[in-house]
Amino acid sequence: MSKWMLTRVSEMADIISGGTPKTEISEYWNGDIPWLSVKDFSGDAKRVYSSEKSITEKGLNNSATQLLYPGDIIISARGTVGEVAQIGRAMAFNQSCYGLRAKDSYSSDFLYYVLKYQVKYLKAVANGAVFDTIVLNTFDKMKLYVPELYIQKKIAKILSAYDDLIEANNRRIELLEQTAQELYQEWFVRFRFPEHEKVKFENGLPEGWDVVKLGDYVEIKGGKRLPEGKSLCSEETEHPYIRIRDITSSKFICLNENLEYIDNETFDIIKRFTVKPKDILISIVGTIGAIACVGKSLKGANLTENCIKLININYFTSDFLYHFLNSDAGKGTIQAGIVGATQPKLPIYNIKRIKLLKPQIDVINKFTMMVEPIDQEIMNLMDHNRNLAVQRDLLLPRLISGKLEV
């Protein structure tokens, strides 16, 4: 029978600190080295491969940041605490995170699941909050019984099978979204829509097309912060609460294990701020310009005050508007509407003034008919991922604690 030893996380891994190159030195930034912050790996994906920002070799050599390599682990220590991911390629990272590199006799994959297990446990006992901050001696306090290396690898292989399927589905989702976005580019940027050869052009636009303001065709509503004294909970209720962190790179927000919820009493207070399927959400503070559509499974969810929703869409369709906002032109108009230097935000009045192309209605409808089956396949894959995550998370505590033999 395998021997399980009580072990601290700090005994299983070398703990590596991150850092930030000086932002005022331009030659330290926009290089070939990805530089991670928690926004790059918040979510349920096991591995992280890319980052919003990057640094140069000079930035790496002239700051406290260090490189993590494939298989190493990253965990967020401040802000959104307790997000965990495994590094998919060589990457640097900021001081709000720690890197962990498995020592000899410990599996890096097993270490990833140990941390995932520990964070879930700590969230449960702390009513949704892990710590205000993770510090070095936190890893001394994280401890559990750990088996021999060959058992670690067996456990990690079982759990990784679920995450590998989730990652494959995510790649498929990404390809589907790229297909839909490319269709938008082909029809509404290059003007190669069906029967475009028969259409005359006036002032650079197809005949009958126009440029209009977004606010003339949609209603824009803000979200609502939680009432004083009320808090989110990780226990699933009927009322999910959508935050900026839930607006990921995917088109749809659907039910997933990273959502948090509000109770019925809180919902009764802020129920005017619910969203419905196909509403378009845009983040307006913090990470500005994140865009998503509400999936069918999130009917009745509430929205944070840091986002707005586009509702009661006239003439256009949700699919058309989403792909416009996600195009280079759409992103450019959003960035142009940001105000404030110290605390940037995107005011509603600037969203209303966003200019967009107004094609003929039959072209919009044909585009929507082409995209809707893609949307359905994306949501099916996201539902599959949710089921895989649920199955994995049921196994996780039993395998990591040794209650289920392998």
Side-chain angles (χ1 to χ4, degrees), residues 45-60:
K46 179 181 178 182
R47 300 177 186 89
V48 57
Y49 295 96
S50 61
S51 61
E52 182 181 300
K53 297 181 180 179
S54 62
I55 61 173
T56 62
E57 195 76 29
K58 281 188 176 180
L60 176 68

Side-chain angles (χ1 to χ4, degrees), residues 43-240:
D44 193 44
K46 179 181 178 182
R47 300 177 186 89
V48 57
Y49 295 96
S50 61
S51 61
E52 182 181 300
K53 297 181 180 179
S54 62
I55 61 173
T56 62
E57 195 76 29
K58 281 188 176 180
L60 176 68
N61 294 333
N62 289 278
S63 69
T65 192
Q66 300 184 62
L67 281 179
L68 297 176
Y69 297 97
D72 290 344
I73 315 296
I74 188 166
I75 183 168
S76 57
R78 290 193 287 276
T80 304
V81 177
E83 296 291 336
V84 184
Q86 194 170 45
I87 301 299
R89 55 178 290 200
M91 308 174 98
F93 61 108
N94 74 10
Q95 66 274 15
S96 295
C97 306
Y98 285 107
L100 290 92
R101 182 167 297 143
K103 296 179 180 179
D104 293 342
S105 301
Y106 296 102
S107 157
S108 183
D109 285 322
F110 181 79
L111 175 61
Y112 166 80
Y113 290 110
V114 164
L115 289 169
K116 200 169 181 69
Y117 171 74
Q118 287 284 342
V119 167
K120 283 182 176 293
Y121 169 75
L122 291 166
K123 280 184 176 179
V125 299
N127 295 319
V130 187
F131 299 99
D132 290 332
T133 306
I134 290 177
V135 294
L136 281 173
N137 73 354
T138 303
F139 300 106
D140 293 326
K141 296 175 183 176
M142 289 183 178
K143 52 188 177 182
L144 75 165
Y145 286 92
V146 176
E148 296 169 69
L149 181 59
Y150 80 98
I151 296 293
Q152 294 176 37
K153 289 181 176 179
K154 278 188 171 184
I155 291 171
K157 185 175 181 181
I158 293 169
L159 295 169
S160 292
Y162 291 92
D163 280 313
D164 290 345
L165 284 172
I166 290 171
E167 187 169 308
N169 283 345
N170 284 337
R171 286 196 295 268
R172 176 68 179 149
I173 289 169
E174 187 176 344
L175 289 172
L176 287 166
E177 291 179 345
Q178 287 174 0
T179 298
Q181 193 65 38
E182 178 58 28
L183 186 67
Y184 174 89
Q185 292 290 116
E186 186 73 0
W187 286 28
F188 304 111
V189 177
R190 304 183 193 105
F191 298 136
R192 297 195 192 109
F193 50 89
E195 300 185 348
H196 65 278
E197 307 93 342
K198 302 176 183 178
V199 176
K200 295 179 181 179
F201 279 69
E202 296 176 349
N203 300 318
L205 294 179
E207 188 176 27
W209 294 33
D210 201 358
V211 175
V212 297
K213 291 181 181 178
L214 182 63
D216 292 336
Y217 290 86
V218 302
E219 190 176 348
I220 302 172
K221 294 287 186 180
K224 182 69 173 177
R225 73 170 61 209
L226 293 176
E228 189 156 348
K230 300 293 183 180
S231 59
L232 296 170
C233 59
S234 54
E235 184 178 347
E236 198 166 313
T237 72
E238 294 179 1
H239 311 297

